[in-house]
Amino acid sequence: MNKWSFLLVALLLTSFLSFGQKRVVVSQPVNELVNVQLPSGTFTFEMPKDITSVQVEESAAYYTMYFSIQYNRETGVVQAKMEANDAKSRHILMRFFVTLGLFDIDVNGTIMPLEDYYQMYLD
């Protein structure tokens, strides 16, 4: 019985830790994000390797009023082009990531919640 309890706890801990490691990545320097991507309304992100093109397309289909998505399956890069480059639409872009189970973002090695990223760079 004790072995089974240990196995169950180990399995749950492993699942919890692996879930927490899925995040969106911003690979561009922050100055490019602020000076180029924000004014143009076109943003580039790297998705985790386990996110499929079907998942991206299905999630993006709900938000076509706010942005369009181009997804490169080979590189995992998503390019989002805002329909209206305003704060509300950029905030809805964060909701797109949440629908994919992504709650954190890596900005040049700094990991933060999506909401913090939005407030610091997109609001």
Side-chain angles (χ1 to χ4, degrees):
M1 182 73 171
N2 201 9
K3 290 180 184 179
W4 290 107
S5 298
F6 176 76
L7 181 61
L8 180 61
V9 169
L11 182 61
L12 289 172
L13 183 60
T14 303
S15 298
F16 177 73
L17 291 175
S18 65
F19 175 75
Q21 293 178 355
K22 288 176 48 175
R23 64 184 56 95
V24 181
V25 176
V26 175
S27 57
Q28 299 80 20
V30 171
N31 64 347
E32 180 181 329
L33 171 64
V34 173
N35 297 325
V36 177
Q37 292 187 8
L38 186 59
S40 72
T42 302
F43 301 93
T44 304
F45 303 95
E46 292 177 28
M47 304 300 276
K49 299 297 181 203
D50 62 339
I51 301 291
T52 67
S53 59
V54 172
Q55 290 172 298
V56 171
E57 291 165 6
E58 286 177 352
S59 292
Y62 292 102
Y63 304 108
T64 57
M65 290 177 51
Y66 302 100
F67 53 84
S68 59
I69 294 290
Q70 298 289 324
Y71 181 62
N72 184 323
R73 287 182 223 137
E74 288 79 34
T75 62
V77 171
V78 167
Q79 186 173 46
K81 174 68 177 157
M82 308 309 295
E83 294 297 324
N85 190 17
D86 58 10
K88 177 184 176 184
S89 297
R90 291 188 299 267
H91 202 232
I92 291 173
L93 180 61
M94 299 302 100
R95 191 180 305 164
F96 163 72
F97 294 128
V98 171
T99 64
L100 293 168
L102 306 170
F103 302 98
D104 296 320
I105 190 161
D106 181 338
V107 182
N108 298 76
T110 302
I111 299 166
M112 63 183 72
L114 287 172
E115 188 61 28
D116 291 354
Y117 168 77
Y118 168 76
Q119 290 176 356
M120 288 179 71
Y121 301 110
L122 303 182
D123 191 14

